[in-house]
Amino acid sequence: MKRRINIAVIGTGRMGSVHTRNLARQIPGANLVAVCDIRLEVAQAIADELGVKRVVRDFHDLLDDKSIEAILIATNTDTHSFIVRDVAAAGKHIFCEKPIALDLAEVDSALASVEKAGIKFQVGFNRRFDKSFQRVHDIVASGEIGRPCILHIIARDPEPPSVEYARTSGGMFLDMTIHDFDMARYQVGDIEEVYAMGNVLVAPEYKSIGDIDTNIVTLKFANGAMGVIDNSRQAVYGYDQRLEVFCSNGVAMADNEVENVAIKGAKDGYHSARLPYFFMNRYAPCYVEEVRQFIECVRDDKPVPATGKDGRAAVALGYAAWKSYRENRPVKLSEIK
């Protein structure tokens, strides 16, 4: 039996609690030894639920513990970079929820600390671990249907997040489309240029914070391929997640996953199952798989599947999209410093 990796979780809110439960219940290679949250009572509640003995309020209390090999960071975005720097300096491997930071200088500072420490560092782009999206990637990468020509990603949320959330999220391109920027790079390769259009069409309250709720982004890839990302904050029929890569000798695509594949026919027509309504439902297996692979990479000294470079590129693309939207022109990624 392969050895288990001792890991602690910093941040036990919405995403942190998901990762904590997955580590304790669904990832046999992990040994969850501690949890941390500035809201000590929240951390204590999940620790009691899972039988975790060590609970701390200050993450620095974990850093001198040489038995802890890895840390999962799932705190608020604005805390990621300084936690990464401190954890890296302690020589512990890191899984960090996206984004690394909303400021590129902060991202670079965190990544410099990671490089200096020589540790494993994985960013939480969970959609890379979806079995259907992975299959599309593998088909395209194999070359069996020729070179990629056109990418199309459709990603639409069932309802807009609150204005309070959106106000500090970095806006639509850095909060929502960031996943699609990463997926585009995962499927086709590096992106050189973006042209973004957007508007407020379903959530008028977003105008007050300078955000948008609907966008289309066109992409130019370094390999000559082109792409389109199509986002909305409100798809009333459910969580709409589709992907297509058209190639010179064929096409690879992934349609929506539904609750079941049964279809009912009646006088009023055909009826199929609903789409998932929440990203936690649609991507639940991906949250398990991304951390399982991280644990495996730490244990077996393998490269991680979603790197700091990937995390930085997605943030830079988000800034390029905002610049394009505001200046109404294509923006090269090289313009974003």
Side-chain angles (χ1 to χ4, degrees):
M1 183 177 176
K2 293 186 177 181
R3 74 181 186 88
R4 300 168 73 196
I5 298 299
N6 290 338
I7 186 169
V9 174
I10 303 174
T12 54
R14 183 171 69 171
M15 279 314 308
S17 63
V18 170
H19 287 307
T20 302
R21 292 186 176 95
N22 288 343
L23 282 163
R25 295 170 175 165
Q26 299 194 62
I27 304 176
N31 181 32
L32 180 62
V33 296
V35 293
C36 169
D37 200 296
I38 58 172
R39 301 161 302 169
L40 194 60
E41 69 283 1
V42 174
Q44 188 65 60
I46 197 164
D48 291 344
E49 174 190 334
L50 301 173
V52 178
K53 293 190 169 94
R54 189 171 184 191
V55 182
V56 301
R57 186 177 188 277
D58 185 343
F59 75 90
H60 293 95
D61 294 340
L62 304 172
L63 301 187
D64 290 333
D65 187 338
K66 297 191 183 305
S67 71
I68 297 175
E69 300 166 83
I71 300 267
L72 189 151
I73 300 171
T75 53
N76 292 340
T77 295
D78 60 357
T79 67
H80 288 179
S81 60
F82 76 78
I83 295 177
V84 167
R85 288 193 293 268
D86 288 355
V87 173
K92 302 187 187 303
H93 304 290
I94 300 171
F95 180 102
C96 182
E97 265 301 332
K98 69 86 192 168
I100 302 169
L102 291 177
D103 179 273
L104 282 174
E106 284 293 309
V107 174
D108 290 339
S109 175
L111 295 182
S113 299
V114 166
E115 184 175 3
K116 181 180 179 181
I119 58 168
K120 307 285 183 192
F121 181 79
Q122 183 172 327
V123 182
F125 283 120
N126 62 294
R127 297 181 192 184
R128 288 181 176 230
F129 301 86
D130 175 82
K131 62 182 184 299
S132 298
F133 296 163
Q134 283 186 331
R135 180 59 183 147
V136 170
H137 169 271
D138 292 346
I139 292 169
V140 174
S142 74
E144 62 186 283
I145 58 172
R147 64 177 293 177
C149 301
I150 301 172
L151 166 89
H152 189 193
I153 295 174
I154 294 172
R156 302 168 185 159
D157 286 350
E159 62 183 30
S162 68
V163 171
E164 289 71 26
Y165 171 84
R167 193 189 308 276
T168 59
S169 72
M172 192 176 193
F173 295 124
L174 284 163
D175 167 48
M176 182 177 178
T177 317
I178 191 171
H179 282 288
D180 304 310
F181 289 137
D182 182 68
M183 181 54 59
R185 294 183 67 252
Y186 173 63
Q187 295 292 344
V188 178
D190 286 338
I191 298 164
E192 290 187 338
E193 183 178 286
V194 304
Y195 180 39
M197 297 182 289
N199 209 338
V200 179
L201 300 176
V202 297
E205 62 272 19
Y206 276 33
K207 289 182 180 179
S208 67
I209 59 170
D211 201 358
I212 57 176
D213 58 35
T214 309
N215 77 62
I216 290 177
V217 182
T218 58
L219 311 169
K220 285 186 180 180
F221 292 89
N223 59 12
M226 297 163 284
V228 177
I229 296 171
D230 158 351
N231 290 149
S232 173
R233 287 288 200 185
Q234 182 171 284
V236 296
Y237 50 87
Y239 191 46
D240 192 354
Q241 302 285 290
R242 289 174 277 161
L243 167 70
E244 176 185 283
V245 183
F246 174 77
C247 295
S248 55
N249 290 316
V251 66
M253 61 184 78
D255 206 346
N256 278 310
E257 293 190 1
V258 292
E259 295 172 353
N260 59 71
V261 295
I263 297 175
K264 180 186 76 173
K267 290 181 179 180
D268 58 348
Y270 286 97
H271 303 271
S272 60
R274 294 173 181 265
L275 298 180
Y277 195 76
F278 194 41
F279 70 90
M280 294 281 195
N281 306 112
R282 170 63 178 81
Y283 290 117
C286 308
Y287 292 116
V288 176
E289 183 61 16
E290 64 177 350
V291 179
R292 187 198 68 77
Q293 289 194 28
F294 168 70
I295 293 293
E296 186 178 277
C297 291
V298 171
R299 185 191 64 214
D300 299 338
D301 192 23
K302 299 192 302 185
V304 296
T307 67
K309 176 186 174 184
D310 296 321
R312 188 192 192 283
V315 173
L317 286 162
Y319 275 106
W322 273 121
K323 185 175 181 67
S324 173
Y325 165 73
R326 288 167 178 148
E327 298 180 8
N328 191 27
R329 66 176 180 89
V331 171
K332 293 187 182 301
L333 192 60
S334 59
E335 297 180 49
I336 307 302
K337 305 298 182 184

